[in-house]
Amino acid sequence: MFTSLDPTKLHHAYLVVGDTTMLSSDLRSFLIEATGRELEGNPDISWWKGESVGIDESRDLRMQAGSGAFRKDTKRIFVVESYAFTREAQNALLKTLEDPAPGIHFFILAPSRDLFLATLLSRFFILESTRAEFADGDRIKALGFLNAAPAKRLEMLATLVKKTDDPDEKKAQKRSAGAFLVALEQALREKLTSNPGAVRALQEISAVKPFLGETAGNPRLILEHLALVL
């Protein structure tokens, strides 16, 4: 999808929606071609990847964006790749994007636009991946979930999200839950023409997805809710 972008006329902020693992590979290739340099060791390209973006990460990004490029006449590029963005982090990021410095460009990689506040979305040029870019395994798992009875769905979720007090495990489960929600949305879009209920199901996912980005968001409860109502 990045082939349509002109490296000499970049927008100051892009929201790139889809499977973040696949998109990050494509973005790396684009940035290497656009800058003519490798990313590793390039001080003008900052790439942050994590399970969730909080207020501290957004403030750090804002501070870094306040300085210009290290090399003269070079763009400064920031890439943020995550499955969750807290409301506080988004408000802090909004302040950064409201008055962007010349030559500063942001690429935010996320599984869905539904994670973001409307005020922040209005600052982005949004790129959305095509259906073919999603892994077949995730698609098959999502279709199986949708076709199963509620009790069976809960059994399927038992291996995806478990009760845990380990912070690292909680972060990993949020990432897994975010990827699964994206796959569910893709599977439901395939059913739009044959099943009118798919529209309501997509609306339900859109309604709960922002809670996954909150610090106290519980992926197990979110997915169990969807298992019962979709």
Side-chain angles (χ1 to χ4, degrees), residues 6 12 16 22 37 89 136 144 170 173 175 198 203 213:
D6 183 347
H12 73 278
V16 190
M22 297 181 182
R37 300 178 60 192
D136 286 340
K170 286 182 178 180
Q173 289 191 8
R175 183 178 181 86
Q203 292 172 338

Side-chain angles (χ1 to χ4, degrees), residues 7-215:
T8 65
K9 299 178 181 179
L10 291 178
H11 191 268
H12 73 278
Y14 292 91
L15 173 60
V16 190
V17 178
D19 185 307
T20 59
T21 300
M22 297 181 182
L23 292 176
S24 64
S25 177
D26 293 342
L27 180 56
R28 285 180 180 277
S29 299
F30 169 75
L31 292 178
I32 291 173
E33 182 178 354
T35 62
R37 300 178 60 192
E38 293 294 329
L39 302 191
E40 286 71 19
N42 186 343
D44 291 319
I45 297 181
S46 299
W47 196 301
W48 188 90
K49 179 179 180 180
E51 306 296 341
S52 178
V53 177
I55 184 65
D56 291 337
E57 289 78 16
S58 284
R59 286 174 176 169
D60 184 54
L61 181 64
R62 185 180 185 185
M63 182 179 65
Q64 292 184 53
S67 60
F70 286 85
R71 297 179 63 185
K72 188 177 180 180
D73 300 325
T74 301
K75 295 178 175 62
R76 187 88 191 275
I77 295 174
F78 295 91
V79 181
V80 178
E81 178 184 349
S82 184
Y83 270 80
F85 297 77
T86 67
R87 186 177 297 269
E88 294 80 8
Q90 292 186 53
N91 285 325
L93 186 58
L94 177 62
K95 295 179 181 178
T96 304
L97 301 184
E98 281 178 336
D99 188 24
I104 301 290
H105 304 278
F106 297 90
F107 288 84
I108 309 298
L109 276 58
S112 173
R113 65 167 68 194
D114 295 327
L115 296 173
F116 298 91
L117 301 171
T119 49
L120 186 57
L121 283 176
S122 67
R123 303 294 176 181
F124 289 123
F125 184 97
I126 301 176
L127 299 170
E128 295 198 63
S129 65
T130 63
R131 184 181 305 168
E133 288 175 320
F134 287 85
D136 286 340
D138 291 338
R139 174 180 171 275
I140 293 172
K141 185 188 299 182
L143 286 172
F145 179 85
L146 292 173
N147 292 330
K152 182 62 177 178
R153 290 176 180 177
L154 293 174
E155 289 181 18
M156 296 171 67
L157 293 178
T159 59
L160 184 65
V161 284
K162 303 176 182 179
K163 291 183 179 180
T164 178
D165 294 322
D166 182 80
D168 292 335
E169 181 62 25
K170 286 182 178 180
K171 290 180 180 179
Q173 289 191 8
K174 277 196 173 185
R175 183 178 181 86
S176 297
F180 186 63
L181 289 183
V182 172
L184 277 180
E185 288 179 316
Q186 292 301 116
L188 284 165
R189 290 191 180 100
E190 295 179 9
K191 295 175 173 286
L192 285 176
T193 56
S194 60
N195 187 346
V199 174
R200 187 162 56 86
L202 283 168
Q203 292 172 338
E204 187 69 38
I205 293 176
S206 296
V208 302
K209 189 181 290 183
F211 294 107
L212 193 62
E214 297 300 321
T215 303

